[in-house]
Amino acid sequence: MNKQTLKQTMLSLEARDLESARERYLEYVGSARLDRGEPIEDDEQAQAELASRLSKAFDDTVHSHSDNIEKLSAIDFGPKSKVEEGAVVKLGGRIFVIAVSTGKFVCDGNEIMGISTEAPIYIELEGKRAGDAISLNGRELVIDEIA
C-alpha cells in the first residue's frame, strides 16, 4: 500500500467532511437569525434559539475536521517498524492507520480505519512490533504487519 496515497486519501476525505460541515453550519446560522424589524412570535424565538444551539454543535464539527487536516498534514507517513503515529497496522485481518480517528474508508482497494493516538486501542498497540500480541476485549490479537 502506498502510504502517500493513503495520506492524500485521508486529507481528501477530511476536506470533504469539512466542507459539508461548513455548509450545514452556515444553513443553521442563517436560520438562527431573526428579523428584528418585525414582531417576533414565541415559536420563532424558540426555533431560532434551537438553531443557534445546533449551529454551535456544527461549529465544533468544523473545528474538529480542520484540526484533523492540520494533524494529518504534519504526520510522517514514512516506513515504520513499530506502532507509532503514521504507521499502518494489520491486526486480526483488519487494517488501521495511526493518525486521526475515522470511520471505515477504502484506499487502494483496502478497507481501512483511522485510529487516534488518544484511542484506548492505541494504548495497547503503542510501541509493539509485527508478531507481538495485544489483548482486546478478552481476545488476544497478533499484529500481522506494520508499515
Side-chain angles (χ1 to χ4, degrees):
M1 172 182 317
N2 183 320
K3 289 178 73 178
Q4 289 309 310
T5 300
L6 174 61
K7 181 177 184 175
Q8 289 307 312
T9 298
M10 292 180 78
L11 283 166
S12 295
L13 291 171
E14 284 294 335
R16 180 201 66 197
D17 291 347
L18 173 62
E19 184 58 33
S20 176
R22 278 186 180 146
E23 288 172 6
R24 287 180 297 192
Y25 173 77
L26 292 174
E27 285 174 21
Y28 276 103
V29 168
S31 67
R33 293 188 184 133
L34 293 173
D35 183 355
R36 300 287 181 198
E38 296 179 13
I40 299 170
E41 302 288 327
D42 286 343
D43 65 327
E44 289 176 320
Q45 180 70 34
Q47 288 176 357
E49 287 174 12
L50 175 61
S52 177
R53 284 192 294 271
L54 288 171
S55 72
K56 288 177 185 167
F58 282 122
D59 185 46
D60 290 344
T61 303
V62 168
H63 288 293
S64 176
H65 290 299
S66 182
D67 291 347
N68 283 353
I69 290 171
E70 188 175 317
K71 184 168 185 173
L72 284 167
S73 296
I75 292 175
D76 172 17
F77 277 79
K80 308 292 182 202
S81 60
K82 65 180 181 177
V83 179
E84 62 184 294
E85 195 170 65
V88 173
V89 181
K90 189 170 184 184
L91 176 70
R94 302 196 188 279
I95 302 173
F96 301 95
V97 59
I98 310 301
V100 298
S101 180
T102 70
K104 294 177 189 173
F105 65 95
V106 176
C107 180
D108 286 344
N110 297 297
E111 189 174 89
I112 302 168
M113 180 178 275
I115 298 174
S116 163
T117 55
E118 297 171 17
I121 190 172
Y122 179 73
I123 294 166
E124 295 294 322
L125 289 168
E126 184 178 18
K128 301 276 196 273
R129 298 181 182 279
D132 289 348
I134 66 163
S135 180
L136 186 64
N137 297 328
R139 286 183 45 204
E140 186 172 288
L141 298 170
V142 177
I143 299 171
D144 301 315
E145 187 179 332
I146 299 173

